[in-house]
Amino acid sequence: MRISNRKRVMVTGGAGFLGSHLCDRLLREGCDVLCVDNFYSGTKDNVHHLIGNPNFELIRHDVTFPLYVEVDEIYNLACPASPIHYQRDPVQTTKTSVHGAINMLGLAKRIKAKIFQASTSEVYGDPEIHPQPESYWGRVNPNGIRSCYDEGKRCAETLFFDYWRQHDLEIKVVRIFNTYGPRMHPNDGRVVSNFIVQALRGDDITIYGDGMQTRSFCYVDDLIEGFVRMMGAAKEVTGPINMGNPGEFTIKELAETVLNMVGGKSKLVFKPLPSDDPRQRQPDIGQAKSILGWEPQVKLQEGLEKTIDYFRKQVSASVM
């Protein structure tokens, strides 16, 4: 017999950038939260403030191995998401996406839990359609240096929908576009954190390619709101649903904006574009708006201010 009426929610990758913010949100909503992470790219610092909360539990575990727990909902966020981290051990990255999905889906099936998959805009590869709707199948290199992540996430989506069709499992699949905010890893190679840290240190700001490639940047609080709405949607709402900010900026525009906000004397330095780096990335969020009533609220300038404040404290404390 259950002693508590609190919803029990597991977040894999819960000590990561997105996972830790999701744990915060779920605890504020009165859930019991089980945070699962192997700390490959996540860090205990991201959830340190939650240690001691009686409704929060932290487990060191790698999702490529089965896990036996009792929960009501599972958010599967486990997988390094930045190129530097996922290319460091590409075989393990693929295993995390594929074996991790198999293990979490198997758990959800056994305990009849609702399960959420954090997929990615990288399933679209270097797109021929702009902006990218969920109906677009993508243009992905299956054997490039980014394929461990791109194809791993595509396979995870396949597994989720096969479990849904074959076992009537309640699934929720969200495709995440570029997200930024406090608790990003300072050395993860993503443009927002890169540019902010370089500007704060007075280093040259490194732009790969000509800087004309575009990205759309969503503040983390907006994305977490979308996650929660998706998990709370009706059973027939499976996704995949795009989540991101459709405001599109060139990488050069982002660098110049960060530099103006931080100040200093950093210069823009251009280097060759990495292999398979997409030229355009912008979400079509029509489904998120019509089905979930969700769209981003935080403007880029506002989100950057909060993110810069976070990294300024990190630089001042010489943590990085």
Side-chain angles (χ1 to χ4, degrees):
M1 185 178 73
R2 288 189 61 171
I3 298 175
S4 171
N5 289 323
R6 289 177 175 272
K7 186 188 296 182
R8 302 165 299 181
V9 185
M10 181 169 75
V11 181
T12 70
F17 163 47
L18 297 180
S20 62
H21 283 279
L22 179 58
C23 288
D24 286 342
R25 172 65 183 267
L26 294 170
L27 287 166
R28 287 197 299 270
E29 295 199 344
C31 300
D32 278 334
V33 175
L34 175 60
C35 173
V36 177
D37 208 297
N38 68 350
F39 304 110
Y40 178 76
S41 57
T43 169
K44 290 180 182 176
D45 290 341
N46 287 340
V47 293
H48 180 76
H49 62 291
L50 301 177
I51 304 298
N53 185 323
N55 303 317
F56 178 79
E57 184 178 358
L58 176 63
I59 294 179
R60 180 190 289 269
H61 182 81
D62 187 324
V63 295
T64 62
F65 297 94
L67 181 62
Y68 302 97
V69 294
E70 296 289 334
V71 293
D72 302 304
E73 295 178 353
I74 300 168
Y75 286 87
N76 186 36
L77 275 60
C79 190
S82 76
I84 284 179
H85 289 149
Y86 68 63
Q87 290 172 14
R88 184 185 303 158
D89 190 345
V91 172
Q92 185 63 25
T93 296
T94 303
K95 288 172 68 177
T96 300
S97 287
V98 178
H99 291 189
I102 291 169
N103 288 330
M104 292 305 107
L105 287 162
L107 172 63
K109 177 173 173 268
R110 283 194 300 275
I111 63 178
K112 297 179 171 56
K114 190 188 309 185
I115 184 166
F116 175 105
Q117 169 66 6
S119 190
T120 173
S121 62
E122 297 301 324
V123 301
Y124 299 122
D126 192 4
E128 302 152 302
I129 296 177
H130 190 75
Q132 294 81 55
E134 292 87 349
S135 58
Y136 177 51
W137 289 357
R139 178 171 172 263
V140 178
N141 179 353
N143 49 39
I145 60 172
R146 300 169 68 102
S147 305
C148 57
Y149 184 70
D150 303 0
E151 296 287 37
K153 289 289 191 177
R154 286 164 68 94
C155 185
E157 283 198 20
T158 300
L159 287 162
F160 266 71
F161 281 94
D162 282 340
Y163 264 79
W164 170 64
R165 283 183 286 261
Q166 188 171 339
H167 301 296
D168 194 33
L169 189 65
E170 187 167 0
I171 66 166
K172 307 290 179 183
V173 178
V174 163
R175 291 175 177 165
I176 303 167
F177 284 68
N178 294 65
T179 306
Y180 69 99
R183 300 184 200 156
M184 293 183 78
H185 195 289
N187 301 314
D188 68 4
R190 287 190 267 197
V191 289
V192 174
S193 51
N194 265 11
F195 290 170
I196 291 174
V197 171
Q198 288 171 339
L200 288 170
R201 288 175 169 169
D203 298 337
D204 290 339
I205 293 181
T206 307
I207 296 177
Y208 294 95
D210 59 9
M212 292 299 104
Q213 65 270 41
T214 66
R215 295 293 185 271
S216 305
F217 301 101
C218 184
Y219 188 65
V220 61
D221 289 355
D222 281 335
L223 187 73
I224 298 304
E225 172 67 24
F227 283 8
V228 172
R229 289 194 189 197
M230 182 65 170
M231 187 64 106
K235 182 177 180 180
E236 61 268 20
V237 179
T238 61
I241 286 184
N242 289 337
M243 283 190 183
N245 194 321
E248 188 179 14
F249 299 87
T250 68
I251 296 300
K252 188 170 182 286
E253 284 177 319
L254 176 69
E256 291 169 343
T257 300
V258 168
L259 188 52
N260 288 336
M261 293 177 69
V262 172
K265 299 180 180 179
S266 298
K267 292 180 284 192
L268 304 185
V269 174
F270 296 84
K271 295 189 176 181
L273 191 68
S275 174
D276 297 333
D277 196 61
R279 295 293 305 179
Q280 289 184 303
R281 184 71 83 228
Q282 182 189 24
D284 178 333
I285 61 167
Q287 286 200 48
K289 290 168 73 171
S290 63
I291 297 172
L292 305 175
W294 177 89
E295 62 182 313
Q297 302 298 313
V298 180
K299 302 297 184 186
L300 181 63
Q301 189 92 5
E302 179 187 350
L304 284 176
E305 285 176 1
K306 296 177 181 180
T307 310
I308 289 168
D309 286 345
Y310 168 80
F311 279 115
R312 183 174 279 118
K313 292 171 186 174
Q314 300 295 304
V315 170
S316 298
S318 298
V319 171
M320 297 182 295

